[in-house]
Amino acid sequence: MRDTIAALILLGASPAVAGETARLSDGVALSVRCLDDAACRFHGSDLRVELSLRNTGDAPVELPIAYFRRRGPSVLLTDVQSGRTLQLRTNLAGARQRQNPQTLAPAESVAYTWRIFATEINDVASRPVDLIAEFSVNLAAGAPGKTADVVRHEIHVHGDDGGAVPASDR
């Protein structure tokens, strides 16, 4: 309950309906961009991306950025041609990293890098590579299911397949 009130104060909002709570995702946006190739082409090596969380609201928000960096985003790879999916593993991150949130002022953002390994892409992708990578971050760190407060962003990964392992050789 105290966390809900704190979130409402941080967002400067009040619930419109009894029992309704404000969600951080209403004032925080996630964006993702490829670092080594702006077009997100897969060249057979790891795909490095930058994730950026931006406060799009009118009030400061507190986020456990150290926890997000350590744990990483949830990433779902979907092969456009076959429909196959692969949910990538996240890292373990301790509760202690959630206890020191970083404050983001309105319009302020924080960025961190992440890597999708070439082997993960090769495990799911048909040839030529044509993937959707959906990144998501649970802003209510550690909260499961219905209490999760998730922001998402997708990127399209396609390839020249230089150095990629042919599907028949996997």
Side-chain angles (χ1 to χ4, degrees), residues 4 15 65 68 83 148-149:
T4 301
I65 302 303
F68 295 155
D149 192 4

Side-chain angles (χ1 to χ4, degrees), residues 6 23 35 137:
R23 299 178 63 78
L35 290 174
V137 175

Side-chain angles (χ1 to χ4, degrees), residues 47-158:
L47 186 69
R48 292 182 333 117
V49 297
E50 179 183 73
L51 292 92
S52 179
L53 290 166
R54 180 174 180 80
N55 180 352
T56 59
D58 296 330
V61 294
E62 290 187 349
L63 297 172
I65 302 303
Y67 176 83
F68 295 155
R69 281 187 172 119
R70 172 72 183 128
R71 183 182 183 279
S74 294
V75 181
L76 178 66
L77 299 180
T78 302
D79 181 72
V80 173
Q81 297 172 49
S82 69
R84 279 191 315 240
T85 62
L86 177 63
Q87 181 69 54
L88 304 184
R89 291 185 177 176
T90 57
N91 294 326
L92 294 175
R96 183 176 47 178
Q97 292 170 319
R98 293 190 298 234
Q99 296 172 353
N100 296 315
Q102 181 176 333
T103 301
L104 291 182
E108 187 178 11
S109 62
V110 63
Y112 58 101
T113 59
W114 198 251
R115 180 181 309 267
I116 299 175
F117 295 109
T119 54
E120 295 168 325
I121 293 171
N122 285 326
D123 283 349
V124 71
S126 300
R127 298 297 181 259
V129 171
D130 189 9
L131 292 175
I132 299 297
E134 180 187 34
F135 293 81
S136 57
V137 175
N138 182 0
L139 300 176
K146 292 181 182 179
T147 57
D149 192 4
V150 178
V151 289
R152 292 180 167 75
H153 188 92
E154 292 181 350
I155 60 172
H156 187 185
V157 179
H158 50 94

Side-chain angles (χ1 to χ4, degrees), residues 30-42:
L30 173 67
S31 62
V32 180
R33 70 181 184 93
C34 292
L35 290 174
D36 299 319
D37 184 331
C40 291
R41 284 185 295 262
F42 177 61

